[in-house]
Structure formats: C-alpha cells, structure tokens
C-alpha cells in the first residue's frame, strides 16, 4: 500500500461516512463520535439536507470537500462498495475503510489497484477497522475494551481481535494502534504493511499478530520480523483444526494444496523468533 506514516489517524483527522443514514452507518458513526473521532459529514445520495448524530448529510463526496475530509468509512452494501470507494479516491481522500463483507473480489482488486496508484490507504474489506486509543477510531470495534498503551495489534479476524484487545487491557497493558486487516482473500493493508508501520512507530513497544489459515501473508510478515524487527512480537493463529479445502467463515480462510495451514504459519512465526500463544488468553503472558 505504499509508504504510510504512523499514526494513520488522530483525533484531528477529518472523517466522512458514506452510507451514514443506513443502520450500520448511523450506529457506528455515533460510536466513533463518542470515541473522539472527528466525523465532519455523512454522504447518502438522495438523503442530503438531514442530519444523523448531529452531523449533516451531503449528496456526494464532492459536496463535502469544503470540509476538507481526509478519510472515509464506507458503510454501504457490498454491491455499492466499488463506486463509493472510487468516489472517495477520485475526490482526494487518503484513507478509506471498507466495512462490508461479500465485496466481489474483482471489485476489491480494482479498488486496491487504484488506491495504490494514487497513494491511498485501504483498510478492508470485511474489516473491523482501525482504532488508536486516545485519538480516534474508524470502524466498528467496541469502545469500552480499549486503553491507551504501547501494544500494537494487527489481526485478520474481527471478534477475535476484540477478545485479544480486552485480554491485553485487562492484563494492565494498553494499545497504541489496533488494525483489523479483513478476512477476504484480497484486502488493502496486509500484515507486511502493518508490521512495517508498527516497527517504525515510536508509540509501539510490543506487537501482536493475529493470523488465520489461508494465504501466505503471515509467512511474509514473519520473514520481515526475522530480518528487521527488534521489538518483541507475539503471534496467534486461528484455524488449527480446519480441514483442507473447506472455507472456514472468512472467504480467505481456506487451505489449498498444502499451503496456508496453521502449522506452516506457526512454524514461520516460531522460526522468526515470534512467541506463539496456544490460546488468545495466553497472549498477555507472552508480552511480559
């Protein structure tokens, strides 16, 4: 995804929500505002002029440009994600977060290719988003589980991310940044992108990587950790009991032709000096 500075978002980042009048957009934008996110506008074609959570609704992204938006949450159904993403990219926004699952893979390929060409960061699809405690969040992660600290977490899972964040918080640590990469076969930010960011982030002292079966992103990240990362890294891989050839929940969670297995990912982590937890609750013990 190109060169990305940490932190991706701050409390000053100007955020719009495309699809803000829908159920997901209305609820989660409200939670983002409570967390401290600077939501400046909503976009819902045909519903402009009203307000949601006290924020004005506009017809198009172009109509919001007077507010100088920098990032967008796409809370639109999967069939409309491509058009919404291109609208945000074409109007100069530099970060887009895609909530929806079941986005056609070819649409995601086009979005990511265009974003790379224009230096735009994409989080998702099928992602819980990004949270920076003490600053802001864009996405759907629960507000109450976070505490500001120095543990950075990157995860392909959604709800498992929340479980691990809560375990880290309850153990007396806190989080610097938490990013949900998304469970689809093709996503914007990858493990490799995020581990590079966390390695350079002065607010991050410890790193947690939460992987799952399918693909080879964890193995690529492990190679980078082995060669470049001096900070302590803890890993967890879900899907150890998954049978080959059967998709497990996420579209990207499938073992094919002997690749993408939990065993191969755990071995890659251990070969890179990453401590691997057997259970999510074990992660805080390995951070100490």
């Amino acid at each position: 995804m190109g060169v990305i500075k940490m932190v991706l978002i701050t409390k000053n980042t100007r955020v719009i929500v495309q699809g803000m009048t829908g159920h997901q957009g209305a609820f989660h934008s409200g939670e983002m505002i409570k967390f401290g996110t600077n939501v400046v506008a909503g976009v819902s074609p045909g519903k402009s002029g009203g307000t949601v959570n006290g924020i004005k609704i506009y017809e198009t992204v172009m109509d919001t440009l007077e507010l100088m938006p920098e990032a967008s949450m796409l809370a639109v159904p999967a069939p409309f994600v491509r058009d919404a993403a291109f609208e945000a990219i074409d109007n100069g926004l530099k970060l887009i977060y895609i909530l929806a699952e079941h986005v056609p893979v070819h649409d995601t390929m086009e979005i990511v290719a265009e974003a790379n060409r224009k230096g735009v960061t994409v989080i998702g699809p099928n992602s819980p988003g990004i949270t920076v405690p003490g600053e802001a969040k864009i996405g759907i992660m629960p507000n109450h589980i976070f505490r500001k600290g120095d543990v950075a977490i990157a995860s392909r899972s959604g709800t498992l991310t929340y479980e691990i964040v809560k375990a880290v918080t309850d153990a007396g640590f806190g989080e610097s940044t938490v990013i949900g990469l998304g469970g689809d076969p093709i996503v914007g930010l990858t493990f490799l992108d995020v581990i590079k960011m966390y390695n350079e982030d002065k607010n991050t002292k410890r790193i947690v990587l939460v992987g799952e079966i399918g693909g080879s992103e964890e193995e690529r990240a492990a190679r980078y950790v082995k060669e470049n990362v001096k900070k302590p890294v803890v890993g967890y891989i879900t899907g150890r009991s998954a049978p080959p050839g059967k998709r497990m929940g996420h579209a990207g969670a499938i073992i094919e032709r002997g690749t993408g297995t939990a065993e191969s990912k755990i071995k890659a982590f251990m070969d890179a000096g990453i401590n691997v937890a057997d259970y999510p609750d074990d992660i805080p013990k390995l951070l100490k």
Side-chain angles (χ1 to χ4, degrees):
M1 291 300 303
V3 178
I4 301 156
K5 290 183 180 178
M6 285 300 290
V7 177
L8 281 175
I9 58 172
T10 71
K11 59 190 173 188
N12 297 318
T13 302
R14 294 178 295 276
V15 180
I16 64 172
V17 178
Q18 293 170 259
M20 192 171 180
T21 57
H23 174 72
Q24 298 290 337
F27 176 77
H28 290 296
S29 63
E31 292 299 295
M32 286 159 52
I33 292 166
K34 290 176 189 174
F35 197 80
T37 307
N38 182 23
V39 178
V40 297
V43 176
S44 287
K47 298 180 181 178
S48 60
T51 62
V52 173
N53 300 317
I55 305 298
K56 186 177 177 182
I57 304 300
Y58 292 78
E59 187 76 12
T60 65
V61 173
M62 183 178 288
D63 292 339
T64 72
L65 294 184
E66 61 189 28
L67 302 170
M68 296 184 292
E70 301 164 278
S72 179
M73 172 178 177
L74 272 56
V76 301
F80 309 117
V81 163
R82 182 188 177 280
D83 285 350
F86 271 78
E87 185 183 4
I89 294 169
D90 290 345
N91 280 284
L93 278 71
K94 289 303 177 184
L95 185 150
I96 60 174
Y97 155 63
I98 304 171
L99 165 60
E101 57 181 329
H102 307 305
V103 176
V105 173
H106 198 273
D107 287 3
T108 303
M109 291 170 64
E110 291 186 1
I111 292 166
V112 171
E114 182 69 4
N116 283 338
R117 195 170 71 82
K118 294 193 174 176
V120 177
T121 300
V122 176
I123 300 175
N126 193 11
S127 156
I130 175 172
T131 301
V132 182
E135 295 288 339
K137 78 167 190 177
I138 302 176
I140 64 172
M141 299 187 205
N143 292 356
H144 68 279
I145 60 175
F146 290 94
R147 167 180 171 179
K148 190 171 183 178
D150 62 11
V151 179
I153 300 172
S155 175
R156 282 175 65 190
S157 178
T159 50
L160 187 60
T161 308
Y162 317 153
E163 183 178 344
I164 290 169
V165 168
K166 189 173 188 307
V168 168
T169 297
D170 289 348
F173 297 99
E175 302 79 39
S176 54
T177 301
V178 179
I179 298 176
L181 304 173
D184 282 7
I186 296 174
V187 293
L189 282 182
T190 66
F191 265 126
L192 189 57
D193 295 323
V194 175
I195 196 74
K196 288 177 180 178
M197 291 193 295
Y198 289 168
N199 194 40
E200 296 167 7
D201 178 30
K202 67 181 188 304
N203 296 318
T204 294
K205 303 291 187 262
R206 306 170 179 87
I207 299 169
V208 177
L209 298 179
V210 184
E212 64 184 22
I213 59 167
S216 58
E217 287 300 325
E218 291 85 353
E219 289 87 343
R220 292 174 62 205
R223 285 195 294 273
Y224 183 85
V225 169
K226 186 174 185 177
E227 295 170 6
N228 300 282
V229 179
K230 298 293 186 284
K231 299 175 182 180
V233 183
V234 174
Y236 177 75
I237 302 294
T238 186
R240 300 184 189 205
S241 303
K246 183 174 177 62
R247 182 170 66 85
M248 305 297 290
H250 287 161
I254 184 170
I255 301 167
E256 295 180 291
R257 298 184 182 89
T259 64
T261 64
E263 290 75 20
S264 71
K265 294 176 186 299
I266 291 168
K267 184 178 185 303
F269 275 6
M270 295 180 74
D271 288 349
I274 298 171
N275 287 319
V276 180
D278 290 328
Y279 300 98
D281 287 348
D282 293 338
I283 288 172
K285 301 170 195 169
L286 297 176
L287 289 171
K288 293 178 179 176

